[in-house]
Amino acid sequence: SGARLTQIMTVTVNPAIDVSTSVGTIAPFTKLRCAAPHKDPGGGGINVARVVHRLGGDVVAIYPDGGASGRLLRALVDREGVRSVAVPAAAETRQDFTVLEESTHRQYRFVMPGAPLGEREWQACIEPITRADPAPAYVVASGSLPPGVPEDFFARVARAAKKTGAKTVIDTSGRPFKAALDEGVHLIKPNLREFQELTGIASADEASLIEAGRALMDRGAVDIIALSMGPQGALLITRERALRADSLAIEPVSVVGAGDSFLGAVVWSLARNDSLETVLRHGVAAGSAALLNPGTELCRPADLERLAPQVKVVTL
């Protein structure tokens, strides 16, 4: 086959460099002497791409890179072996940082405001989807929107993907999330709070969640819902089927990146044409595996393989 097939493209319009460190005790007005920092490339879609690549999937990450920290972001993505379409941007890419307090094992997450993007810059984050030849099977747009990017950005991504025949996966929240569903997408991965906010239901019982999910499907908003519920496990809902997986009992080292790991494994598994049971099992195993690693390391394939057989999936 001539051109190289990119199975999965990810779009991250609000990327970050994730800096993680630790300190004995957090106290005011003193010099807090930290451990050597660890730096990872971050932002929803970049994290999803890191997971897909680790699992052996073919993936390209699209993201803006601005200033010196944008060059560092690109170098960190390259270091992981993930292919990039880096869109040059004027504003400096943000750096977020996570501090683990060793004495209490509490994790503190400091999230900086996103670097603003101009119209040409955010539009350049959508163009590679339409230019890809052959078209990708999946386009994953994930994370939040920085200043300057319109609320319907994810809807525009979905529209561009549809024109090429790609399936759109969206992981975001609030009004940008609703706008994407008005456009219609293939898969969403909300957590319970995001799903309740989206559907306007207060209930958390399975029957109500499934009913609310199918109502979205009936209006053509989405085909598959992967609903992550933390300690309560996860649901996978389609028009015909509803599957439930229990979460694994894991003492979390870090809660950062569990959702991105879950989504990365789900999309990788779907792209391999796995059964829905296997897709959900991989997602829950990857989300659980991410909890084992400090900072923003995400899941390791060996942990996913070890944990996947332990995930119990039942048909509802």
Side-chain angles (χ1 to χ4, degrees):
S1 63
R4 180 168 173 189
L5 175 66
T6 297
Q7 253 197 317
I8 299 163
M9 269 188 151
T10 74
V11 181
T12 312
V13 79
N14 200 11
I17 290 164
D18 287 321
V19 183
S20 48
T21 185
S22 60
V23 67
T25 308
I26 291 178
F29 310 122
T30 58
K31 283 186 181 172
L32 301 176
R33 304 219 175 258
C34 299
H38 181 83
K39 293 185 177 176
D40 285 309
I46 287 177
N47 283 342
V48 168
R50 289 166 67 199
V51 171
V52 170
H53 174 70
R54 276 180 205 186
L55 295 174
D58 189 50
V59 65
V60 171
I62 306 165
Y63 55 89
D65 68 337
S69 61
R71 287 195 294 279
L72 173 58
L73 176 69
R74 174 73 196 263
L76 291 169
V77 172
D78 289 349
R79 182 185 76 184
E80 297 222 4
V82 173
R83 289 193 290 152
S84 278
V85 178
V87 172
E92 187 94 10
T93 300
R94 65 184 171 146
Q95 299 205 26
D96 294 340
F97 65 103
T98 299
V99 182
L100 176 73
E101 185 178 39
E102 289 157 354
S103 58
T104 61
H105 285 284
R106 283 190 186 142
Q107 197 179 50
Y108 294 85
R109 299 173 69 180
F110 299 88
V111 180
M112 300 297 155
L117 292 182
E119 184 165 0
R120 292 245 295 279
E121 293 168 344
W122 63 256
Q123 283 182 341
C125 294
I126 301 176
E127 278 152 22
I129 298 166
T130 49
R131 282 203 309 266
D133 182 31
Y138 291 88
V139 172
V140 183
S142 172
S144 51
L145 299 182
V149 177
E151 225 163 55
D152 69 346
F153 177 80
F154 292 109
R156 290 168 188 252
V157 168
R159 210 169 305 144
K162 267 191 244 184
K163 279 188 187 136
T164 71
K167 292 172 170 165
T168 313
V169 176
I170 300 287
D171 183 16
T172 188
S173 59
R175 297 223 295 260
F177 193 20
K178 286 198 162 127
L181 285 159
D182 289 340
E183 174 64 35
V185 301
H186 181 61
L187 183 142
I188 56 173
K189 188 220 70 73
N191 60 29
L192 184 57
R193 184 184 48 76
E194 288 162 349
F195 188 69
Q196 287 171 331
E197 189 181 284
L198 176 72
T199 55
I201 63 166
S203 166
D205 72 87
E206 279 164 12
S208 311
L209 295 171
I210 293 165
E211 188 187 0
R214 298 236 163 101
L216 287 176
M217 292 168 193
D218 289 343
R219 69 176 177 87
V222 64
D223 302 320
I224 304 178
I225 299 168
L227 177 56
S228 59
M229 303 186 294
Q232 279 76 54
L235 289 176
L236 192 67
I237 307 166
T238 67
R239 280 178 186 82
E240 291 82 36
R241 305 191 60 196
L243 302 173
R244 184 209 161 86
D246 292 334
S247 70
L248 298 173
I250 282 177
E251 196 60 49
V253 176
S254 165
V255 294
V256 180
D260 294 332
S261 294
F262 178 95
L263 181 58
V266 161
V267 177
W268 164 77
S269 199
L270 280 171
R272 290 179 9 151
N273 292 315
D274 288 337
S275 70
L276 289 179
E277 284 89 346
T278 304
V279 168
L280 182 56
R281 190 171 280 123
H282 281 145
V284 171
S288 303
L291 303 176
L292 298 169
N293 293 332
T296 42
E297 270 191 54
L298 308 174
C299 69
R300 294 183 190 132
D303 291 327
L304 186 148
E305 279 171 39
R306 182 171 56 81
L307 295 173
Q310 301 173 30
V311 179
K312 285 214 300 286
V313 174
V314 293
T315 300
L316 299 174

